[in-house]
Amino acid sequence: CFRFGRLFHMHVLEPDRFEKEVIVCPDERADRRLKANKEWWAKVKENGAEVIKEREYEKVIAMADAFKALPEIQSMKGARHELSVFANGFRKNIDAKCRIDMEKDGVVVDIKTTRDSGASEYEFMKTSRRFKYAWQEANYRDIAAKAGLGIKRWYWAVIEKEPPFEAGIYTFTSDDIARARRELSEAYTTLQSCLTLDAWPSHTPTQPRELRLYGGL
């Protein structure tokens, strides 16, 4: 999943790099036991290119079409892609950096690929809570501000990896970002303490703990 998501990002955000570093393997070349195919694969290996199956490439193209059809994405023509932002002294004894997928005039788009139905509002909300996407947005906003780049608007573009390749675009509320900032502040305080003391406590308990799996009525 990570590999496919990375290839999709490269195709959308760095098409020139995709053309140079990725080779599409036709279905007739998939069987490496055939002599002609062995020669084809040997040349690919010599070039050092990454191979993507033909049906995977077709998925990438379909996903890219769904992504580009989103109205907010159409207005991002001319945006900077894969923008690296550095903030030295972001926190005491902590330098920070982030990599923004797309940015234009203070508008940011972050791309997420997901499973079938994962681009629906309900599923993306669940995924966002699980992976703390609000933390990512709040952190990136603050790092960018420290580096002199103000982010006015943040969009999450979510594209499914299975037909019919549904795509959605979302924003978080200001309350969500404010809460994420408070939680991040606590996390950075913990990190600073760990760095100062060179002590990295485990997240698992050292003594047996009783767990309540189901709440009472």
Side-chain angles (χ1 to χ4, degrees):
C1 291
F2 176 79
R3 170 183 171 274
F4 188 81
R6 177 177 55 80
L7 288 171
F8 175 74
H9 272 71
M10 189 191 303
H11 175 78
V12 171
L13 301 175
E14 301 176 288
D16 293 340
R17 181 184 169 197
F18 187 92
E19 290 294 326
K20 293 178 182 178
E21 299 183 11
V22 179
I23 291 180
V24 179
C25 174
D27 290 339
E28 62 269 20
R29 296 294 188 188
D31 189 350
R32 302 193 192 191
R33 295 171 296 179
L34 300 179
K35 181 179 179 181
N37 291 355
K38 287 181 179 179
E39 295 174 354
W40 187 88
W41 280 95
K43 290 181 180 179
V44 170
K45 186 176 181 180
E46 184 177 323
N47 292 335
E50 183 166 359
V51 179
I52 184 172
K53 296 178 182 178
E54 191 168 10
R55 59 180 176 272
E56 288 181 315
Y57 181 66
E58 291 171 354
K59 277 188 177 184
V60 167
I61 296 300
M63 291 170 63
D65 289 342
F67 169 71
K68 293 174 184 177
L70 294 169
E72 290 77 6
I73 303 305
Q74 294 179 22
S75 66
M76 293 293 287
K77 291 180 180 178
R80 294 185 287 181
H81 293 178
E82 297 288 8
L83 177 64
S84 294
V85 181
F86 301 88
N88 294 328
F90 179 60
R91 300 286 179 115
K92 184 179 179 181
N93 300 325
I94 296 177
D95 298 329
K97 65 178 180 180
C98 64
R99 194 166 175 86
I100 296 172
D101 288 344
M102 301 176 70
E103 187 276 333
K104 179 183 178 182
D105 300 329
V107 177
V108 165
V109 174
D110 192 280
I111 302 171
K112 300 295 184 188
T113 57
T114 186
R115 66 190 185 286
D116 182 30
S117 80
S120 69
E121 182 176 340
Y122 176 72
E123 291 297 329
F124 184 65
M125 286 177 65
K126 289 201 306 182
T127 302
S128 298
R129 286 194 292 265
R130 180 183 179 190
F131 293 107
K132 297 185 180 296
Y133 287 164
W135 277 39
Q136 178 188 340
E137 179 178 336
N139 203 38
Y140 278 32
R141 280 178 176 273
D142 292 346
I143 291 172
K146 179 74 173 180
L149 172 64
I151 297 178
K152 303 173 186 175
R153 188 75 168 167
W154 182 293
Y155 290 109
W156 298 93
V158 192
I159 307 94
E160 295 177 6
K161 295 181 285 188
E162 299 297 334
F165 305 105
E166 295 281 354
I169 194 155
Y170 301 101
T171 61
F172 294 150
T173 69
S174 58
D175 288 343
D176 286 333
I177 300 305
R179 175 174 177 173
R181 279 200 172 98
R182 292 193 296 270
E183 294 172 347
L184 274 169
S185 181
E186 294 176 4
Y188 271 114
T189 298
T190 300
L191 175 59
Q192 288 170 322
S193 177
C194 290
L195 289 169
T196 300
L197 301 175
D198 194 22
W200 306 88
S202 172
H203 63 275
T204 55
T206 57
Q207 300 294 325
R209 296 283 297 275
E210 182 181 61
L211 302 178
R212 181 184 295 275
L213 300 182
Y214 303 100
L217 295 178

